[in-house]
Amino acid sequence: MLSFDREKALAIAVFLIPGLTLFGIFSVGPIAYSAVGSFYSWETFTMGEFVGLDNWIDSLTDPLIVHWSNIQELRYPMGALTHNLLWVVIHVPASTFLGLGLALLFADLRGRRILRAMVFAGFTVPPIVIGLVLLFIYDPQAGIFNELLRVIGQEQWVRNWTQSPQVAIYALIAGGIWVHTGFSMLLYSSSLSAIDPSLIESAKVDGAGPWRRFRDIIWPLVKPVTAVVVIMGIIWVMRMFDIVYAAGGAAGGPNHAYSVLGIEVYRAAFRPDIDYGMAMVVALLQLFIVAPLALYIARMR
């Protein structure tokens, strides 16, 4: 018995140590380094003197991160943090429920595999390419979106949607919803296929309509998947960089109209006016927002 325990412990260690080592080097290490470095001044690549909360105060009062007066007046830019939260509020519920709706719609259709593949295809495209595609879709001359507006007689709405400060962020969020809906649909489709068909048939025999079958049978069984979809959606949105960069460059659109935290980390760390202290603070803000939300939603399962 003692020999078996030793062998088991050795096997566990053999499998865990490499993974934990890589996790420590590439995840825990950088987070700890950023947490310490955010309290120091920086001279290019060199950590300077201890400055306490100065980097945090400067970052949270920077209009590029949070533009308090514009928030009160509902004008853009509202700051990268506000834009990220706006992505979460709009993008996550929309992509989640659209994915569930499409999964339910395709469940009993012929050719559902082809339809699912078509919807999921957007999620397989690199985000930087999605950003470039959105530029073409919203182009005022050649873009299909503006052409559709002309066809239905709404020429007054034709514009360059990615360069209009008041609407650009919503245009990009719509593109993000299109991309992530395929991911949520695929997870929901897998969950629906695992439901015992006899449960649905029994409910039909008992006279339960479509809504009642969804409410009492389908929704409780796909609820764990919903937690995963929401968590992954929040993480994806809070890490947003590629789509915004491709559509609006390092400024995050005209006058930073739809800049996000990932763009501000890039600008602080890799643009000419290097400010590693601010880059670390903004990167930690992303972590502090995502981690509690993910833990809370996971506990709701």
Side-chain angles (χ1 to χ4, degrees), residues 242-284:
D242 313 66
I243 292 177
V244 175
Y245 183 82
N255 193 30
H256 309 281
Y258 45 83
S259 178
V260 290
L261 293 176
I263 291 290
E264 296 307 319
V265 172
Y266 170 75
R267 290 182 66 253
F270 301 108
R271 300 298 286 177
D273 297 328
I274 293 175
D275 188 348
Y276 283 131
M278 179 179 179
M280 291 176 176
V281 169
V282 177
L284 289 170

Side-chain angles (χ1 to χ4, degrees), residues 46-205:
T46 306
M47 187 183 296
E49 61 181 10
F50 180 79
V51 294
L53 294 174
D54 287 357
N55 289 328
W56 288 86
I57 295 171
D58 291 344
S59 298
L60 293 175
T61 56
D62 188 334
L64 294 179
I65 305 300
V66 182
H67 201 314
W68 297 105
S69 60
N70 278 11
I71 292 174
Q72 295 169 359
E73 299 171 6
L74 297 179
R75 292 191 298 112
Y76 291 93
M78 294 186 181
L81 176 58
T82 311
H83 297 162
N84 269 108
L85 296 178
L86 190 62
W87 270 83
V88 171
V89 170
I90 299 175
H91 174 278
V92 174
S95 61
T96 299
F97 288 111
L98 279 174
L100 176 57
L102 289 175
L104 291 169
L105 179 64
F106 296 160
D108 299 319
L109 289 181
R110 283 188 173 184
R112 55 183 174 272
R113 293 181 180 176
I114 297 175
L115 293 171
R116 288 170 182 166
M118 291 172 62
V119 175
F120 184 70
F123 188 74
T124 64
V125 178
I128 193 76
V129 176
I130 295 297
L132 295 174
V133 169
L134 291 177
L135 283 178
F136 285 104
I137 290 176
Y138 293 126
D139 185 86
Q141 302 302 324
I144 187 173
F145 186 74
N146 284 307
E147 190 59 34
L148 287 174
L149 292 176
R150 293 188 184 96
V151 168
I152 63 176
Q154 299 296 320
E155 291 87 352
Q156 70 273 18
W157 292 101
V158 172
R159 66 186 71 187
N160 190 336
W161 291 86
T162 59
Q163 297 299 313
S164 302
Q166 297 300 322
V167 297
I169 189 170
Y170 301 105
L172 293 187
I173 290 175
I177 292 171
W178 159 54
V179 172
H180 214 259
T181 292
F183 171 76
S184 59
M185 179 212 64
L186 191 67
L187 291 187
Y188 278 122
S189 295
S190 299
S191 181
L192 290 174
S193 64
I195 296 176
D196 187 350
S198 63
L199 294 175
I200 307 297
E201 294 301 322
S202 298
K204 288 181 180 179
V205 171

